[in-house]
Amino acid sequence: MTPAAASRIAVITGASSGIGAATARQLAAAGYRVVLTARRKDRIEALAEEITQAGHSATAYALDVTDRAAVDEFASAFRSIGVLINNAGGALGADPVATGDPADWRQMYETNVIGTLNLTQALLPKLEASGDGTVVVISSTAGHATYEGGAGYVAAKHGAHVLAETLRLEIVGRPVRVIEIAPGMVKTDEFALTRFDGDKQKAEKVYEGVAAPLTADDVADTITWTVTRPSHVNIDLLIVRPRAQASNTKVHREL
């Protein structure tokens, strides 16, 4: 379904890799003018060039979602937009509560929750001005169930979940949908590697024996599907896991 003219701009945070980059490619192919934001300018510029060379429309804008002044400056460039994909986030560490690093907890909260808040607040008037806006929050199954060693990330993603759920209540009746996508086990190039501070052995162990974890493209496909539903259809919450994962703590491994 081709988006209406007033709703064709889609802003994607965390677009330099993984789910964000895959979503940018798929939304561009679906007819959106994608605006790619992330801190790594070289990555998003290369992706914007790739998308443009494929015959679609893409712009790169280096942005730290936790910098409110920079976010407000970014938002001022738009009169209206159709879609905001709050994808920037991530996990740091897997320590128990007793020994978790407060700095890691603070950074996860700042990126996953405050970053989402910053972009949503700054762009909500632009989404409403389009007459057909959509806010997507990429949370996680961690935002719906706890697991040992994940409290800091779980707390942050619970915050993202509650932000989406509350926003939907507060703006009902206005022309903006609020969608939450909660992925389970997704194997990307960077998520687990970042979580374990570059330790490849620990990162690979997360997916050990799992025949087919989700890919970034799998999640991007679900995001694109929800965004391209008719305007009156709101997918409040979509939880997506690989078949091998029954819950955050029960995964079938072929070892």
Side-chain angles (χ1 to χ4, degrees):
M1 181 180 297
T2 302
S7 307
R8 282 186 182 158
I9 299 175
V11 173
I12 304 156
T13 70
S16 58
S17 65
I19 293 169
T23 300
R25 292 184 181 101
Q26 291 198 26
L27 283 178
Y32 287 87
R33 295 167 51 201
V34 294
V35 180
L36 318 176
T37 73
R39 290 174 297 178
R40 294 179 291 187
K41 184 179 179 182
D42 58 332
R43 292 278 193 99
I44 54 174
E45 286 181 342
L47 179 57
E49 176 65 19
E50 173 197 322
I51 291 170
T52 301
Q53 288 296 319
H56 309 305
S57 178
T59 304
Y61 190 104
L63 183 66
D64 180 348
V65 297
T66 68
D67 183 339
R68 184 54 188 259
V71 168
D72 287 342
E73 182 180 354
F74 166 72
S76 69
F78 300 96
R79 187 172 299 172
S80 69
I81 68 167
V83 180
L84 167 61
I85 310 290
N86 284 301
N87 170 70
L92 295 173
D95 297 317
V97 172
T99 57
D101 186 343
D104 285 347
W105 282 53
R106 188 172 295 110
Q107 187 174 337
M108 284 187 283
Y109 191 85
E110 285 286 336
T111 306
N112 290 282
V113 184
I114 302 302
T116 297
L117 177 67
N118 285 341
L119 266 294
T120 302
Q121 286 185 337
L123 291 175
L124 191 57
K126 321 290 184 175
L127 289 155
E128 190 168 359
S130 76
D132 186 17
T134 301
V135 176
V136 179
V137 175
I138 310 303
S139 63
S140 167
T141 55
H144 298 268
T146 61
Y147 59 93
E148 293 168 288
Y153 182 61
V154 166
K157 286 304 190 182
H158 270 73
H161 161 63
V162 170
L163 187 157
E165 190 172 60
T166 306
L167 178 64
R168 191 179 303 113
L169 295 172
E170 292 171 343
I171 65 171
V172 67
R174 292 155 68 178
V176 180
R177 301 180 294 183
V178 181
I179 294 168
E180 178 188 352
I181 308 292
M185 180 182 283
V186 185
K187 186 174 184 179
T188 64
D189 292 337
E190 296 187 340
F191 179 83
L193 201 60
T194 299
R195 183 169 203 168
F196 295 110
D197 198 26
D199 189 321
K200 292 184 179 180
Q201 188 173 1
K202 285 185 178 179
E204 284 300 319
K205 195 158 185 68
V206 172
Y207 311 103
E208 189 176 28
V210 180
L214 295 178
T215 67
D217 282 328
D218 292 328
V219 181
D221 184 53
T222 67
I223 294 167
T224 302
W225 178 79
T226 62
V227 168
T228 55
R229 294 311 85 208
S231 298
H232 70 287
V233 177
N234 194 99
I235 309 300
D236 284 14
L237 169 64
L238 195 158
I239 294 176
V240 53
R241 306 181 194 266
R243 185 173 62 187
Q245 184 183 34
S247 75
N248 289 347
T249 56
K250 189 172 182 64
V251 179
H252 175 68
R253 299 179 188 271
E254 300 173 358
L255 299 176

